[in-house]
Amino acid sequence: MARSKIKEAVRISAYFLADTFVIDWPDPDSDVTQSTGLTNENLKAWIASYEADKYSALFHLGFLTRPSEFDAVLDYLHSIAELLIRSLSHQPDIEFSREAVQVDLVHDDIRRLLDELPFGVGMEYVDDEWLRGLWRSLLAVFKADIEPFDGTVARYFAEQNAQINIAGRVFFHLVESQDEPYPFAFMATYSTKPGQSKRAVHTPLKHALKEFDGDEQKLLSLISSVVKAAEKSAFISDLLESGELFAPIKLTIEEAYAFLKDIEIFEDAGILCRVPDWWRKRRAYRLAITVGGQEPSRLGLDAIIGLVPTLRIGDDEISEADLREFLDMSEGLIQYKGQWVEINRKRLATVLDALDKVKAMAGQETLSLADAMRLELNADQLVDADDDSVLVSVSNGEWLRALKDKLVNPDKIEEVAMTDSFQRVLRPYQKTGYHWFSQMAQLGFGACLADDMGLGKTIQLIAYLEYYRLNRGGQSLLVLPASLIGNWQREIERFAPDMPYQILHKSDLKGTEPILIRDDSFLCITTYGMTIRLEALQNRRWDHLILDEAQAIKNPATKQTKAIKSIQAGMRIALTGTPIENRLGDLWSLFDFLNPGLLGTAKEFTDFTKRLSEHASGYEKLRKIIHPFILRRLKTDKRIISDLPDKVEINAYTALSKKQTALYRQLLAQIAEKLETAEGIDRKGLVLASIMKFKQICNHPDHYLGREIFKPEHSGKFEQLREICETIRDKRERVLVFTQFREMTEPLASFLSDVFGRKGLVLHGGTPVKRRREIVEQFNGEHYFPFMVLSLKAGGVGLNLTAANHVVHFDRWWNPAVENQATDRAFRIGQTRNVMVHKFVSNGTIEEKINAMIEDKQKLSGELLNADGENWITEYSNEDLMRLFELGGDEA
């Protein structure tokens, strides 16, 4: 089996939660035995350990070399465990302190970990406190392990990983002195625990000769790390052989440099080194590039901006002439502006070569804003070396810094007055989105609104488009999945009723008439599939090209994606509720649509992502580049939660497929004929049976026909359910799907298993009581069961299913009280998130008409709300019944 296929089969992933993490294990019975370093037995052992104690499992995984099967998030968690283990191994007094050891996560490590945070589900939760909490939990594992351990800490670590060296009791110290011939001093010390003292003290190594006089074995044990280091370091070997190691000595510059170059050898041997800070910081040669100091003459990603390179050593600026003089000096240490600096010819040549490249770029005066941003992402590629002591950094000048600050903090954007023709009062965060769209249009940037599902992306965009229509005119193109056409129509008609729009889709035509774009339509709406077939889309330049559910173009190689990207537009906009950062390849394709060239070519971006495994700080660079062009608000944001109702109810309008439409019309004709002769109880039975059949057709043709195939493309509701659940899947959330038909539970569960890539749960009237309790526990547990399909009567009461924060009413009971009882399985005490309720309504059918009646309280009698099922409909006259049943609107 090819290695790539094995990796795909056994990929182990993880995601973040508000105060913890979850590892998503593959099936341990899958064929993984040929995978390097991973067997079925290993996998089963890991899973068992994780289920017993997730923090213990992660801590012990940290002793292993990072397995290639780990995804980026699990790599990240593994790196935190590795960092703690390394920190523990470097604690000089750990043999004395054992379970009382205190190891803090230091500020510099927190900053680095936040910079290296990979894109993944739940990344918004990870902050300083989240990292400290995980660190404390992992440290507690070590303390619990070591307290009862019958042996030394070194032995404990050796049993976990023989390659890890616990810090010995020996320390090497290098300090600066004022003695001109010997500007440095060296001393070796060791830690000892005198008497009953609880803390170790450090004393010169020469005292060990007296302490262990007559006990050569103990002395050799103490200096075993030194002997190990002497095998690779000539400097220490000479000191050990001469005996000078046991007394403080003065060092020349050359001797100090020899010591400093061998620090890695000493630390690998288990010797802790205390050296001046300037060496730890390495006083690295750095090429600092500043871009965008002044505002360009025009805006947009193709705007030409300035570039200024500066040479630095550490944080101190140095002239090119001085740096070139260093090339003529001997390698070693020199003092420059009162600070010690390392002279390394290879690194000097590297940084000066990078300077020449940047000077050439600046001299051409053709650096665009997109070029400058790409330079931020790939600045390290200017250096033809892997030496991390040569750094290239890119910073923003005054103008560009101010611009980015405004875009990543949209609350600072100047407000734009709403038009009177927009019939909606926006929530504060929605107003911010409206203003942000206006700002991005002025700057000539493509924009992605990536708010969580339910926060009103459609409303914000309609508000902006209505403003643009009244002030600028023009024509815009909206591309979306066919299942969302009805939703957009109703949103436009409700909130911007004066906006002229046109549906460019075969479902909006009668007979074989061609699709023609009307010049008086401000907004043209078409589907992703039509972008390939409708050549007229390519024959004009649109003011806006808007993609809803923009993850549809995640694959740049498809004909559909290529067709969409070839459409000309003044501004490109993407809407998505899916966390676009989860898959970096998808992210490139989206930005290739929004702002072509910003992330480089596909190959350049792929090369960048490959380097992330070795240089994880690239994640922060990528975040800084894309954030100005993405506005993403989450329901977990406290500022958003306070502005939202706890339960958000949304009507999801679905279109009938051709097969559904044909069956619906056929049934309609049959009912019209039978109603003419039916009377009394027979008429009532006919009406109720007809209503049930209409519902079945709206669910799926095979439901009505009694078949078991249930192809998703034959049902508008199945396609709508896919759109919703793909976002739920990518956000690692859970959903309850209610249907009043028991026979629909299995087809829905089978379909959703394909969407989520894993099985869910089913509960209906035939589910035994004992099994119901097990199902509830499974669904609310940590193991990810993404969905539960429930029959409305069986699952409508008595169950606590707060693990779900989405509820779908696949078909309607037409009694709000019954539906609310079902919704309350998720929306109840214990629910910590906003609950999204999706109510499916088939366009133009009896479902849409009755839904409108329920929502229009003025036309609704009290008896209707409290009626049993659909009995109230049987009281309608034949004429009223046919008007209720008839296929109207877009489906006619």
Side-chain angles (χ1 to χ4, degrees):
M1 181 182 289
R3 175 63 180 158
S4 60
K5 292 184 179 178
I6 294 173
K7 287 182 71 176
E8 182 66 22
V10 299
R11 196 68 171 165
I12 306 174
S13 58
Y15 60 99
F16 306 108
L17 294 179
D19 53 2
T20 186
F21 64 92
V22 173
I23 297 178
D24 191 10
W25 301 100
D27 181 358
D29 294 321
S30 60
D31 183 16
V32 300
T33 54
Q34 298 181 53
S35 176
T36 304
L38 182 63
T39 65
N40 297 79
E41 291 71 24
N42 282 342
L43 185 57
K44 288 178 179 178
W46 286 357
I47 295 173
S49 173
Y50 174 82
E51 291 179 344
D53 184 335
K54 67 166 62 177
Y55 296 104
S56 177
L58 178 59
F59 177 75
H60 289 99
L61 280 177
F63 283 100
L64 304 179
T65 301
R66 205 170 302 178
S68 61
E69 292 78 13
F70 285 6
D71 77 344
V73 173
L74 191 48
D75 267 352
Y76 180 74
L77 294 170
H78 182 273
S79 74
I80 297 173
E82 269 187 326
L83 176 61
L84 174 59
I85 290 168
R86 185 165 61 251
S87 298
L88 287 168
S89 70
H90 289 173
Q91 292 299 303
D93 304 332
I94 198 166
E95 293 288 3
F96 302 131
S97 56
R98 293 176 69 89
E99 69 273 9
V101 67
Q102 290 299 323
V103 183
D104 294 325
L105 185 59
V106 299
H107 177 78
D108 286 349
D109 283 332
I110 290 176
R111 298 272 67 77
R112 179 180 59 79
L113 286 170
L114 291 177
D115 284 349
E116 295 178 353
L117 176 66
F119 292 176
V121 176
M123 57 184 285
E124 66 271 13
Y125 294 120
V126 181
D127 56 16
D128 298 37
E129 192 49 45
W130 192 97
L131 291 169
R132 290 192 183 97
L134 178 59
W135 185 269
R136 289 191 294 266
S137 296
L138 295 177
L139 181 58
V141 172
F142 169 75
K143 293 182 176 183
D145 276 3
I146 202 63
E147 184 175 10
F149 185 75
D150 185 19
T152 64
V153 177
R155 184 177 142 204
Y156 168 84
F157 271 71
E159 289 181 1
Q160 303 295 326
N161 185 334
Q163 302 302 313
I164 299 178
N165 290 309
I166 285 291
R169 294 165 60 188
V170 176
F171 290 71
F172 286 169
H173 305 260
L174 182 75
V175 297
E176 297 179 56
S177 71
Q178 301 300 317
D179 193 333
E180 185 63 32
Y182 301 98
F184 295 94
F186 168 83
M187 181 172 67
T189 67
Y190 75 105
S191 62
T192 185
K193 193 175 179 183
Q196 301 299 314
S197 173
K198 294 183 178 180
R199 298 188 63 180
V201 297
H202 298 272
T203 187
L205 192 58
K206 67 179 181 180
H207 293 168
L209 299 175
K210 183 183 296 183
E211 180 177 343
F212 300 117
D213 186 24
D215 194 340
E216 185 176 349
Q217 189 63 37
K218 284 189 175 181
L219 179 61
L220 288 175
S221 176
L222 175 69
I223 65 171
S224 61
S225 58
V226 179
V227 174
K228 186 176 181 180
E231 294 174 357
K232 296 182 178 180
S233 170
F235 176 82
I236 291 301
S237 178
D238 291 345
L239 293 183
L240 185 62
E241 186 176 338
S242 66
E244 292 181 283
L245 181 72
F246 294 93
I249 58 173
K250 295 180 180 180
L251 299 181
T252 64
I253 295 176
E254 292 74 18
E255 291 169 331
Y257 186 56
F259 169 83
L260 290 170
K261 288 194 296 182
D262 285 352
I263 282 181
E264 188 174 342
I265 294 173
F266 307 148
E267 292 182 339
D268 285 345
I271 300 168
L272 293 179
C273 299
R274 303 289 170 81
V275 298
D277 285 344
W278 53 260
W279 180 261
R280 290 293 186 191
K281 295 178 181 178
R282 295 307 300 264
R283 300 288 292 164
Y285 303 124
R286 182 157 64 92
L287 175 60
I289 305 169
T290 303
V291 294
Q294 296 180 339
E295 182 175 356
S297 58
R298 56 188 173 87
L299 299 177
L301 285 176
D302 57 351
I304 304 302
I305 63 174
L307 176 152
V308 179
T310 306
L311 291 169
R312 296 181 181 276
I313 297 182
D315 294 327
D316 296 326
E317 187 173 336
I318 183 172
S319 69
E320 179 182 353
D322 285 348
L323 204 60
R324 291 194 181 278
E325 282 186 15
F326 288 174
L327 282 173
D328 298 327
M329 300 180 184
S330 301
E331 293 204 347
L333 299 175
I334 66 164
Q335 280 208 322
Y336 179 78
K337 295 184 178 180
Q339 298 287 336
W340 288 102
V341 174
E342 180 187 14
I343 300 297
N344 182 304
R345 287 199 184 90
K346 181 179 178 181
R347 294 173 189 161
L348 282 168
T350 299
V351 74
L352 288 168
D353 180 60
L355 174 65
D356 290 339
K357 293 178 183 178
V358 174
K359 286 169 66 177
M361 292 169 59
Q364 294 171 2
E365 295 185 348
T366 58
L367 188 77
S368 70
L369 181 54
D371 293 333
M373 290 185 171
R374 282 199 302 276
L375 189 61
E376 290 185 55
L377 195 64
N378 296 298
D380 56 332
Q381 297 304 292
L382 289 170
V383 178
D384 298 327
D386 294 327
D387 192 337
D388 59 6
S389 291
V390 178
L391 305 175
V392 178
S393 63
V394 179
S395 60
N396 300 142
E398 183 177 352
W399 171 78
L400 186 53
R401 185 168 56 249
L403 174 65
K404 284 189 175 182
D405 180 62
K406 182 185 293 186
L407 295 180
V408 299
N409 296 287
D411 291 338
K412 298 180 180 180
I413 293 175
E414 183 178 349
E415 295 188 2
V416 179
M418 302 287 296
T419 62
D420 293 337
S421 58
F422 182 72
Q423 306 296 308
R424 171 72 178 262
V425 177
L426 296 180
R427 300 180 185 279
Y429 72 87
Q430 292 173 335
K431 286 184 179 178
T432 299
Y434 164 71
H435 299 143
W436 182 74
F437 274 132
S438 299
Q439 177 74 76
M440 296 298 279
Q442 291 177 18
L443 295 171
F445 296 151
C448 175
L449 182 60
D451 285 349
D452 258 353
M453 183 191 300
L455 295 187
K457 295 184 290 293
T458 305
I459 298 300
Q460 296 173 65
L461 182 60
I462 291 175
Y464 162 71
L465 290 176
E466 180 66 355
Y467 172 84
Y468 190 93
R469 179 181 75 87
L470 293 177
N471 289 275
R472 301 281 298 277
Q475 198 166 37
S476 300
L477 177 65
L478 168 63
V479 184
L480 40 61
S483 59
L484 298 184
I485 291 176
N487 290 307
W488 271 89
Q489 285 181 276
R490 280 150 188 82
E491 298 284 77
I492 293 170
E493 291 166 1
R494 182 179 177 187
F495 302 119
D498 298 336
M499 181 185 292
Y501 73 89
Q502 177 187 4
I503 307 298
L504 304 177
H505 192 255
K506 54 189 177 182
S507 64
D508 198 55
L509 300 177
K510 295 179 175 61
T512 58
E513 62 179 293
I515 299 176
L516 300 176
I517 300 174
R518 297 196 305 266
D519 291 335
D520 61 348
S521 298
F522 169 74
L523 181 63
C524 293
I525 302 174
T526 193
T527 64
Y528 284 101
M530 291 299 295
T531 58
I532 302 175
R533 306 183 188 98
L534 194 54
E535 294 182 6
L537 300 178
Q538 307 281 351
N539 297 335
R540 63 183 66 202
R541 179 178 174 83
W542 303 87
D543 289 76
H544 301 91
L545 174 57
I546 306 156
L547 305 186
D548 193 10
E549 299 297 340
Q551 61 271 20
I553 62 165
K554 63 185 179 183
N555 187 343
T558 64
K559 290 183 179 179
Q560 177 178 287
T561 300
K562 291 178 180 178
I564 289 170
K565 290 182 178 180
S566 65
I567 297 174
Q568 298 299 305
M571 180 184 185
R572 294 183 171 192
I573 295 174
L575 305 182
T576 179
T578 300
I580 57 176
E581 304 96 335
N582 288 1
R583 293 177 294 273
L584 295 184
D586 298 359
L587 184 68
W588 179 86
S589 186
L590 178 68
F591 269 81
D592 186 51
F593 163 75
L594 289 173
N595 296 301
L598 182 65
L599 298 183
T601 65
K603 182 183 184 304
E604 288 170 344
F605 191 74
T606 299
D607 291 342
F608 166 79
T609 59
K610 288 178 179 177
R611 296 195 299 272
L612 288 174
S613 60
E614 297 298 326
H615 304 284
S617 59
Y619 282 113
E620 180 62 14
K621 293 179 182 178
L622 183 55
R623 268 190 287 272
K624 287 181 178 179
I625 287 178
I626 67 173
H627 275 186
F629 309 99
I630 298 177
L631 182 57
R632 179 164 177 77
R633 277 79 59 90
L634 305 171
K635 293 195 291 288
T636 52
D637 189 329
K638 294 179 181 178
R639 294 169 298 177
I640 302 300
I641 290 176
S642 62
D643 194 38
L644 277 179
D646 294 332
K647 178 172 64 174
V648 180
E649 297 187 346
I650 300 172
N651 285 336
Y653 293 94
T654 66
L656 296 183
S657 68
K658 287 183 177 180
K659 195 168 185 179
Q660 285 175 302
T661 301
L663 289 172
Y664 195 101
R665 286 176 171 152
Q666 184 183 78
L667 178 60
L668 194 62
Q670 294 171 1
I671 294 171
E673 181 179 346
K674 292 178 180 179
L675 274 177
E676 292 181 2
T677 58
E679 295 181 355
I681 192 69
D682 291 338
R683 181 183 184 276
K684 184 174 183 178
L686 172 64
V687 172
L688 292 176
S690 300
I691 293 171
M692 196 64 64
K693 292 175 181 178
F694 279 128
K695 285 186 177 183
Q696 291 173 336
I697 292 172
C698 290
N699 281 351
H700 196 287
D702 290 350
H703 185 197
Y704 171 69
L705 297 171
R707 298 174 180 172
E708 298 181 356
I709 302 173
F710 286 91
K711 289 185 177 180
E713 62 269 23
H714 289 169
S715 167
K717 285 189 177 182
F718 271 65
E719 293 301 316
Q720 179 78 278
L721 187 61
R722 183 197 303 278
E723 295 290 342
I724 292 171
C725 288
E726 284 179 346
T727 298
I728 293 172
R729 176 197 65 201
D730 290 342
K731 286 185 62 60
R732 202 70 180 190
E733 296 177 337
R734 307 188 197 206
V735 60
L736 305 178
V737 181
F738 285 99
T739 174
Q740 62 180 285
F741 300 97
R742 175 176 169 177
E743 64 268 23
M744 279 298 299
T745 56
E746 289 301 335
L748 283 170
S750 177
F751 170 68
L752 289 173
S753 294
D754 291 338
V755 174
F756 283 98
R758 61 175 64 215
K759 293 182 179 179
L761 299 164
V762 176
L763 190 153
H764 50 62
T767 307
V769 174
K770 180 181 179 182
R771 176 57 183 150
R772 292 188 187 201
R773 289 196 295 267
E774 293 173 351
I775 287 174
V776 170
E777 290 176 2
Q778 283 180 294
F779 189 74
N780 288 329
E782 185 169 281
H783 285 289
Y784 185 49
F785 287 92
F787 67 88
M788 185 189 296
V789 181
L790 310 95
S791 63
L792 191 62
K793 285 191 174 180
V797 293
L799 302 177
N800 187 335
L801 299 169
T802 53
N805 64 319
H806 292 268
V807 175
V808 171
H809 292 290
F810 189 78
D811 44 56
R812 309 296 297 281
W813 188 253
W814 296 334
N815 186 325
V818 174
E819 289 187 344
N820 288 339
Q821 282 183 337
T823 297
D824 287 348
R825 299 315 95 217
F827 182 62
R828 60 191 303 154
I829 295 174
Q831 180 58 266
T832 58
R833 295 166 294 174
N834 300 83
V835 174
M836 299 291 304
V837 184
H838 311 264
K839 298 180 178 181
F840 282 12
V841 181
S842 296
N843 289 337
T845 69
I846 184 176
E847 289 190 338
E848 182 177 8
K849 292 162 189 171
I850 293 181
N851 181 74
M853 294 170 64
I854 292 174
E855 290 187 344
D856 191 347
K857 300 297 191 294
Q858 293 178 349
K859 296 180 181 178
L860 194 63
S861 66
E863 289 76 14
L864 177 61
L865 280 174
N866 298 315
D868 180 18
E870 291 86 29
N871 282 326
W872 56 277
I873 301 176
T874 64
E875 304 302 321
Y876 274 36
S877 68
N878 287 358
E879 291 75 14
D880 289 339
L881 275 173
M882 292 309 297
R883 278 194 291 270
L884 185 65
F885 291 158
E886 72 179 352
L887 193 56
D890 304 313
E891 304 303 332

